[in-house]
């Protein structure tokens, strides 16, 4: 699956940068296309919860955006999350959060996507800390 011609890695990065919350978190798209997308966030102290682990809301944000960008690689740039679920497997600690999403199935009216949420150490070792699955819907502009 190749992305629609108007959507490539540079365009995906521009779309992400247009989201103020994504800029606040320092999120970046590191891979895009072929029905997949990878989003990364540096793990900082101000993103931790009270026990010193990365906050679950940051994991959910990363899953939501990675799922949607993966689907956008197939459906085009005008998409919205229809819904998703996250299963937390272990506390997230490390240097970087990596959300790696792929399209499981795409049709005309929706795409089903899966995302592995991994933490990355200074030695570039990945640890799976959560998994997510969601549906993404193409949207058309309203004329009213």
């Amino acid at each position: 699956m190749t992305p629609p011609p108007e959507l490539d890695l540079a365009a995906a990065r521009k779309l992400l940068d247009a989201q103020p919350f994504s800029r606040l978190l320092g999120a970046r798209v590191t891979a895009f296309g072929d029905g997949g997308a990878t989003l990364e966030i540096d793990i900082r102290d101000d993103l931790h919860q009270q026990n010193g682990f990365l906050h679950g809301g940051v994991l959910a944000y990363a899953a939501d955006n990675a799922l949607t960008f993966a689907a956008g690689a197939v459906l085009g740039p005008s998409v919205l999350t229809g819904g998703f679920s996250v299963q937390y497997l272990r506390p997230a600690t490390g240097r970087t959060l990596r959300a790696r999403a792929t399209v499981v199935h795409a049709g005309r009216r929706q795409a089903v996507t899966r995302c592995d949420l991994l933490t990355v150490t200074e030695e570039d070792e990945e640890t799976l800390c959560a998994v997510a699955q969601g549906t993404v819907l193409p949207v058309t502009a309203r004329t009213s």
Side-chain angles (χ1 to χ4, degrees), residues 36-48:
T38 301
L39 185 124
E40 293 185 357
I41 299 170
D42 293 330
I43 297 174
R44 314 181 309 256
D45 287 343
D46 61 335
L47 300 180
H48 288 167

Side-chain angles (χ1 to χ4, degrees), residues 31 46 66 69 115 125 143:
D46 61 335
F69 271 86
C115 181
E125 294 176 8
T143 55

Side-chain angles (χ1 to χ4, degrees), residues 33-118:
D34 294 326
T38 301
L39 185 124
E40 293 185 357
I41 299 170
D42 293 330
I43 297 174
R44 314 181 309 256
D45 287 343
D46 61 335
L47 300 180
H48 288 167
Q49 43 86 298
Q50 72 280 6
N51 295 312
F53 304 122
L54 186 62
H55 193 283
V58 177
L59 291 159
Y61 156 84
D64 180 16
N65 262 358
L67 292 166
T68 304
F69 271 86
V74 175
L75 299 175
S78 296
V79 294
L80 291 173
T81 304
F84 72 100
S85 64
V86 180
Q87 299 299 313
Y88 299 100
L89 305 175
R90 65 181 46 85
T93 61
R95 174 192 52 145
T96 305
L97 174 65
R98 181 173 293 150
R100 188 178 297 134
T102 56
V103 173
V104 175
H105 174 78
R108 286 182 299 131
R109 296 196 282 168
Q110 74 176 11
V112 175
T113 52
R114 172 194 159 88
C115 181
D116 289 339
L117 295 139
L118 311 123

